[in-house]
Amino acid sequence: MIDKNQTCGVGQDSMPYMSCLIHIFEEWFGVEQLEDYLNFANYLLWVFTPLILLILPYFTIFLLYLTIIFLHIYKRKNVLKEAYSHNLWDGARKTVATLWDGHAAVWHGYEVHGMEKIPEGPALIIFYHGAIPIDFYYFMAKIFIHKGRTCRVVADHFVFKIPGFSLLLDVFCALHGPREKCVEILRSGHLLAISPGGVREALISDETYNIIWGNRKGFAQVAIDAEVPIIPMFTQNIREGFRSLGGTRLFRWLYEKFRYPFAPMYGGFPVKLRTYLGDPIPYDPKITAEELAQKGRKKHQEKDHTLENHCQKNDEGCCSSFD
């Protein structure tokens, strides 16, 4: 409480600066005991901080459902134009991409480095899977805005079972395989993205960014069959933004048993996100799928060392690529 006998002036009976400032606001707003209200508000913030951290990751899912609602409205509005247009969804994709790009810029200051490494033709992009792959959503938006291309993506089977997601997955060309379909898409000249670690990497990996690919080499075989380059992709700080409890024994067992990510997530921190595209691994008809998969793994394992060395030489703490 503030002693009214004290003054805001300099002297023996003067109040501390903050107490003086609170006293001024009390007189200004005509509110008594403002300091007690502020202390109570600070207490509430301390109590509810854990709850806020648990809610923020699901705000991303809320945004996805808003996107789906917009797509349904767009679909109803343009149903009569479908017979006259081959690009019915381009307007919707442009609008959604702009909204997600704005969210990326405001909340994460999102940047993409190495966009020039994406060829005009087909390419296979392999990326590290964060607890929530929000970086890939942002990347898809950037690709569509700046290059006018839709980057197809291979998604886990469980994503196609989420209520309401079917339209979103169709409009943004997500698929769950098989390998022949992936090869067909690449041979048609499109970009295709695959996370070799998938949901297991999203759940089990942590802030050390350890790669959890196992012995997977299907992505390498797809690139060989389609005769396209592989472009490694990594987003700095994606694990600092969102984290998962999937590494605990219980949630790992649940995933292995039911193949569904039951693990809770937390985070949504407004950290800086930078996506780096590495130098393409060119198509080589003499290389095997095992050798190509090992090359892709090596590219990702080198990312932390290369980024750290480069960023030490850069005053802005930002590097342009990883080799």
Side-chain angles (χ1 to χ4, degrees):
M1 297 293 296
I2 297 174
D3 188 353
K4 302 299 181 181
N5 294 324
Q6 292 179 309
T7 67
C8 292
V10 179
Q12 184 177 359
D13 295 329
S14 62
M15 292 184 289
Y17 175 77
M18 287 304 300
S19 298
C20 180
L21 188 62
I22 291 173
H23 179 56
I24 293 173
F25 278 117
E26 284 181 346
E27 294 183 345
W28 190 6
F29 292 110
V31 178
E32 295 183 357
Q33 300 179 343
L34 180 61
E35 186 175 12
D36 290 341
Y37 290 122
L38 293 177
N39 288 335
F40 182 66
N42 184 59
Y43 171 76
L44 290 179
L45 180 62
W46 178 80
V47 169
F48 288 106
T49 293
L51 181 62
I52 293 172
L53 295 181
L54 289 174
I55 290 176
L56 277 176
Y58 299 97
F59 179 71
T60 302
I61 299 175
F62 173 71
L63 290 179
L64 288 173
Y65 273 106
L66 284 183
T67 301
I68 292 168
I69 292 172
F70 167 77
L71 292 176
H72 275 290
I73 294 173
Y74 186 91
K75 181 180 180 180
R76 299 297 184 275
K77 182 180 178 181
N78 291 276
V79 66
L80 296 178
K81 298 180 181 179
E82 188 169 4
Y84 304 97
S85 174
H86 297 291
N87 298 308
L88 172 67
W89 291 107
D90 277 356
R93 292 189 185 106
K94 184 72 172 180
T95 303
V96 170
T98 302
L99 292 174
W100 278 89
D101 189 57
H103 180 270
V106 171
W107 194 249
H108 293 290
Y110 182 68
E111 301 173 0
V112 176
H113 297 265
M115 188 80 80
E116 70 281 357
K117 297 178 181 180
I118 297 178
E120 293 298 324
L124 178 63
I125 298 172
I126 57 173
F127 64 97
Y128 173 84
H129 202 305
I132 294 180
I134 194 169
D135 57 320
F136 186 73
Y137 306 156
Y138 295 158
F139 174 74
M140 290 179 67
K142 286 284 188 185
I143 287 290
F144 193 82
I145 291 172
H146 295 286
K147 291 186 174 288
R149 303 181 68 181
T150 301
C151 182
R152 276 70 173 168
V153 61
V154 176
D156 193 273
H157 289 271
F158 92 89
V159 178
F160 294 86
K161 300 177 183 178
I162 300 177
F165 266 48
S166 58
L167 180 61
L168 177 69
L169 297 172
D170 286 343
V171 172
F172 287 94
C173 308
L175 64 149
H176 55 73
R179 183 184 303 171
E180 293 75 17
K181 181 64 176 178
C182 296
V183 173
E184 178 186 341
I185 288 173
L186 289 168
R187 286 179 175 173
S188 299
H190 299 293
L191 296 172
L192 178 67
I194 296 177
S195 173
V199 176
R200 182 177 284 104
E201 186 171 78
L203 295 176
I204 300 175
S205 185
D206 53 26
E207 64 274 12
T208 63
Y209 294 90
N210 51 317
I211 294 173
I212 304 176
W213 290 7
N215 295 318
R216 294 181 178 178
K217 56 184 180 182
F219 72 93
Q221 191 61 58
V222 166
I224 291 174
D225 292 345
E227 302 181 2
V228 299
I230 291 179
I231 301 176
M233 180 179 119
F234 170 72
T235 299
Q236 189 179 27
N237 292 332
I238 187 60
R239 281 285 170 181
E240 280 64 43
F242 294 90
R243 295 192 178 182
S244 168
L245 300 179
T248 59
R249 181 177 299 180
L250 171 63
F251 293 117
R252 289 184 67 171
W253 179 83
L254 287 173
Y255 174 72
E256 298 297 340
K257 181 70 173 178
F258 299 101
R259 286 293 188 270
Y260 199 90
F262 292 102
M265 296 168 291
Y266 66 97
F269 306 110
V271 298
K272 179 75 173 180
L273 295 181
R274 296 186 181 95
T275 291
Y276 298 97
L277 297 169
D279 293 331
I281 304 173
Y283 166 69
D284 183 354
K286 299 179 182 180
I287 199 172
T288 65
E290 291 84 355
E291 292 171 336
L292 184 55
Q294 188 59 32
K295 272 191 173 184
R297 176 188 292 272
K298 186 177 179 181
K299 286 277 189 178
H300 274 274
Q301 287 174 335
E302 290 173 349
K303 68 185 178 298
D304 289 335
H305 178 69
T306 305
L307 285 172
E308 181 180 357
N309 289 343
H310 194 132
C311 290
Q312 287 176 353
K313 301 176 181 179
N314 194 318
D315 293 336
E316 297 179 356
C318 162
C319 45
S320 59
S321 66
F322 63 90
D323 298 323

